[in-house]
Amino acid sequence: MNVVLAKTETGRALSDIFVIARDRLPGAGKFAELRRQAFAAYERAGLPHRRIEEWKYTDLRVLMREVLPLAPAPDAATLKRAGDVLKLHAIAGVRRLVLVDGVFAPSLSDLAKLEKGLGIRTLREVLETGDAALQARLFAPDNADAMVALNTAMMTDGLVVEVADGVALTQPLHIVHIASAAAPAAMFTRSLLNVGKAARVTLVESYIAASGSKAYQVHDSAIVSIGDDARLDHVRLVEDARDAFNISSAVVTLGARAQFNTFGMTSGSNVSRYQPVIAFAGEGSRVEANGVKLLNGRQHADTTLLLDHAVPNCASREIFRSVLDDRGHSVFQGRIIVRPHAQKTDAKMMTRALLLSDEAEADNKPELEIFADDVTCGHGATTGALDESLLFYLRARGLSEKEAQALLIQAFVGEAIESIANDALRELVISAAQRWLAARG
């Protein structure tokens, strides 16, 4: 019997989107074929849904429903709006690299007087004129995950940053993603960061929206390589518009004796998901992954983290905190895999959720898969409300109920925020958390 699978209206519309966008996508020849293969993989799977275990709590067929058309290339008016919002999110002492609606904006970026050993190019430049090794790495993530496959097919621009061996950057790099299109649209970006041996880099990523940008979609992907004896400190701030969607992924590979400290805070977007895969490829490396979610209204934020311990003598620590008000929904899925040869692994993971409302929801799913016998591993998850006795104690000493709650919430998220090594960035995150607390009703 022959079975014919009919496309949905959304499927037909998305196929049209890909066909229309192809002329704007960088790279031809084999790259066009790789894009076509990736889009075919996405079409076969469609938007992830709850019957897929990794997406059980974030059903994009219900939450997002469709992929929007590609955002138009930014014009002068769009860049003006982007510049206005950029002033409100400026960070002193950083090298700013700006993507507006998924396209690099040199007029808003700081490319002057690059430090010796620092190279910065755009994804478009590398795919059209760059070297074959970098081009291959930009297409390296496989298409098993539907949203990664879609990003591969549609990636329009991004940044390729290379830091030479032994270089310690004196300025943090700040990649700013700005949504500025007047109509709902999607932006697809992919960036690559290569940290050379014994190099030191601090990277900040921000997701923000210009005035008038609504109901847009961010589809971002990052490929990060950290060389032997190198260190990368990473701070990620999601402050998108409250009706936006942010679906981001990352693949991070560590060499021997490398260190990766990453912190993320989500307070924006209607629906967001961050799915990093962190792989230990060299012995003696360490990862500290920490995060805070501050959610209210009907916000939905998902962190799905995989740490792959494939070699011996590595350590990882994960601390995640969620504060949920109204009908906010937090998802944390953390999986630690310890491969058979990864003896002497030391891995611990803890996630805690604080519910400020009876309608808030937290789904925590920490997992361990251990195939070695000489390891120290553990995980835990808790969900609860503010301690009434502590609230009473603070109220009795003259604080209002809101002030007392804010003090306890700051203490709750403080352990994760304190992991940020850079003092100025740590204060920046604390200020952002305080603004969220001050805005509570």
Side-chain angles (χ1 to χ4, degrees):
M1 179 177 66
N2 294 324
V3 178
V4 178
L5 297 178
K7 287 186 178 179
T8 64
E9 291 299 323
T10 301
R12 280 197 294 271
L14 185 56
S15 296
D16 293 341
I17 290 170
F18 180 61
V19 170
I20 293 169
R22 277 190 302 192
D23 291 340
R24 284 187 52 198
L25 303 178
K30 66 177 181 180
F31 300 121
E33 175 59 20
L34 289 172
R35 288 182 184 278
R36 189 198 64 76
Q37 293 173 9
F39 188 78
Y42 170 77
E43 278 202 307
R44 286 193 296 270
L47 285 172
H49 50 85
R50 63 183 299 109
R51 291 191 297 277
I52 300 172
E53 182 62 28
E54 293 82 1
W55 293 85
K56 177 179 179 181
Y57 303 106
T58 304
D59 188 336
L60 292 188
R61 291 188 181 179
V62 173
L63 295 170
M64 194 166 79
R65 298 188 180 181
E66 64 177 353
V67 177
L68 294 174
L70 188 65
D75 55 17
T78 300
L79 292 174
K80 172 65 168 59
R81 290 195 300 273
D84 291 341
V85 73
L86 197 57
K87 296 174 184 177
L88 302 177
H89 293 265
I91 303 175
V94 302
R95 181 176 296 279
R96 195 168 61 199
L97 305 168
V98 182
L99 295 159
V100 177
D101 294 337
V103 177
F104 181 66
S107 63
L108 301 176
S109 302
D110 180 11
L111 294 176
K113 298 180 180 178
L114 294 183
E115 296 181 50
K116 185 178 180 180
L118 171 62
I120 299 175
R121 289 178 284 173
T122 66
L123 175 138
R124 177 173 291 275
E125 177 186 356
V126 169
L127 289 186
E128 293 181 344
T129 62
D131 62 74
L134 283 178
Q135 292 169 339
R137 288 183 60 196
L138 284 164
F139 279 91
D142 63 39
N143 297 323
D145 182 277
M147 302 312 290
V148 173
L150 180 63
N151 183 272
T152 299
M154 299 288 290
M155 57 181 176
T156 307
D157 210 348
L159 291 156
V160 176
V161 180
E162 298 176 277
V163 182
D165 295 350
V167 171
L169 295 185
T170 59
Q171 278 185 307
L173 304 175
H174 185 198
I175 299 177
V176 189
H177 301 258
I178 303 178
S180 192
M187 51 213 74
F188 296 85
T189 51
R190 177 166 293 183
S191 295
L192 185 149
L193 171 62
N194 185 62
V195 182
K197 295 179 180 179
R200 299 287 186 273
V201 178
T202 298
L203 172 67
V204 186
E205 289 185 277
S206 296
Y207 297 84
I208 59 178
S211 175
S213 295
K214 296 181 179 179
Y216 59 86
Q217 295 174 359
V218 174
H219 300 269
D220 184 43
S221 179
I223 303 165
V224 180
S225 176
I226 306 172
D228 297 349
D229 300 298
R231 173 170 176 155
L232 173 62
D233 291 282
H234 177 222
V235 176
R236 185 173 183 273
L237 305 174
V238 179
E239 300 179 273
D240 282 304
R242 291 295 297 266
D243 56 358
F245 295 81
N246 187 315
I247 310 297
S248 300
S249 64
V251 177
V252 182
T253 305
L254 286 84
R257 300 171 303 281
Q259 186 163 349
F260 179 44
N261 294 342
T262 179
F263 172 87
M265 186 168 77
T266 300
S267 58
S269 290
N270 180 38
V271 175
S272 65
R273 176 175 166 112
Y274 182 46
Q275 44 183 21
V277 176
I278 303 173
F280 293 84
E283 293 190 39
S285 295
R286 182 180 180 87
V287 168
E288 293 191 12
N290 304 278
V292 169
K293 296 172 189 169
L294 303 172
L295 309 177
N296 54 25
R298 291 177 174 268
Q299 286 180 284
H300 177 111
D302 178 342
T303 299
T304 295
L305 169 69
L306 171 62
L307 288 108
D308 189 350
H309 285 265
V311 294
N313 300 302
C314 292
S316 61
R317 295 289 185 273
E318 293 79 51
I319 297 173
F320 287 84
R321 300 286 186 266
S322 298
V323 180
L324 310 170
D325 206 352
D326 305 322
R327 299 186 67 177
H329 184 187
S330 169
V331 177
F332 176 81
Q333 300 180 108
R335 184 151 61 108
I336 297 173
I337 300 177
V338 182
R339 306 288 180 182
H341 298 294
Q343 304 293 350
K344 303 294 183 182
T345 291
D346 182 1
K348 293 180 175 62
M349 175 185 295
M350 173 58 73
T351 176
R352 301 183 188 276
L354 182 61
L355 306 183
L356 306 179
S357 163
D358 292 339
E359 294 183 302
E361 179 179 347
D363 292 301
N364 296 321
K365 192 177 73 170
E367 301 175 80
L368 291 174
E369 294 184 19
I370 302 173
F371 302 98
D373 54 14
D374 186 7
V375 302
T376 302
C377 296
H379 65 66
T382 67
T383 302
L386 288 171
D387 190 315
E388 292 294 337
S389 62
L390 290 177
L391 280 174
F392 178 80
Y393 176 87
L394 294 173
R395 294 290 305 279
R397 277 147 185 80
L399 295 180
S400 68
E401 182 175 3
K402 185 176 180 180
E403 290 171 333
Q405 288 181 348
L407 197 61
L408 293 178
I409 292 169
Q410 288 183 61
F412 176 76
V413 301
E415 184 180 2
I417 294 177
E418 286 300 317
S419 67
I420 302 172
N422 185 293
D423 293 340
L425 295 179
R426 185 168 59 252
E427 290 301 318
L428 175 75
V429 171
I430 291 172
S431 297
Q434 289 174 339
R435 287 196 301 272
W436 185 87
L437 291 168
R440 290 184 64 225

